[in-house]
Amino acid sequence: MTPTLRTARMTLTPYRPEDEDAFVGLLRDEEVCRWMGQERAPEADLRAVFKVIMDEIYPQHRFDLWAVWLDGAYVGHAEIKKTGNVDGYEMIAAFVRDSWGKGLGSELVRELIRYAARTLGVDRVYGMVGAENAASLALCARLGFTFVRDVVGDDGSVTKMLVVPTGAAPSETAPSQAPNEAAPSQAPNEAAPKEATDPATDPAEGAPGREPALPPGPQS
């Protein structure tokens, strides 16, 4: 079961059915989509993705993903999972536009790194960041990420694959997080990242992740 996590300022909780509009709003913001290097997805597709989260991802324990809250308001989305992009776990994060510039990206990424070490027991975790996203690349450098290679898309766009050590031994197993808790009361819908979220792309402070985190349809 995806656990509740806490940083100094934020609370990460599993999504609840009543969080759907906030999730869709996050992924329908055109400016956020631009920083993620994605086209904005139709609302119907995003609602289908949210249904997959609630009906399949959580019940089948496929991977961990969270709604991110600050002072009771929904401010973003986070995931950590195995993907086809990297040989291991990839972290993905996105923030609503109103939360940019508050230093939340580094705080969230640090917690995801700790989670990867403590709970997943992996010694490294990856991030995918668009080559043009200078703020996210600078953040990753500050947090100790190193460059692995460039990934060139069919459209010629370049994404940089980055990796950071977690401090865990490859075989380490760690204690689980605190039991699931109800998410804070949801604030009014806010603009935020696109599709089934992805990278935190705060022009002032971003975070790893670029590919659509949850394309419409089940994922393994």
Side-chain angles (χ1 to χ4, degrees), residues 73-93:
Y74 178 83
V75 294
H77 172 99
E79 302 180 27
I80 186 165
K81 65 182 182 181
K82 291 184 176 180
T83 71
N85 290 332
V86 300
D87 182 21
Y89 283 84
E90 180 179 351
M91 66 175 70
I92 298 166

Side-chain angles (χ1 to χ4, degrees), residues 57 60 62-63 81-83 217-220:
I57 303 299
Q60 297 175 21
R62 292 190 182 182
F63 55 88
K81 65 182 182 181
K82 291 184 176 180
T83 71
Q219 285 200 1
S220 58

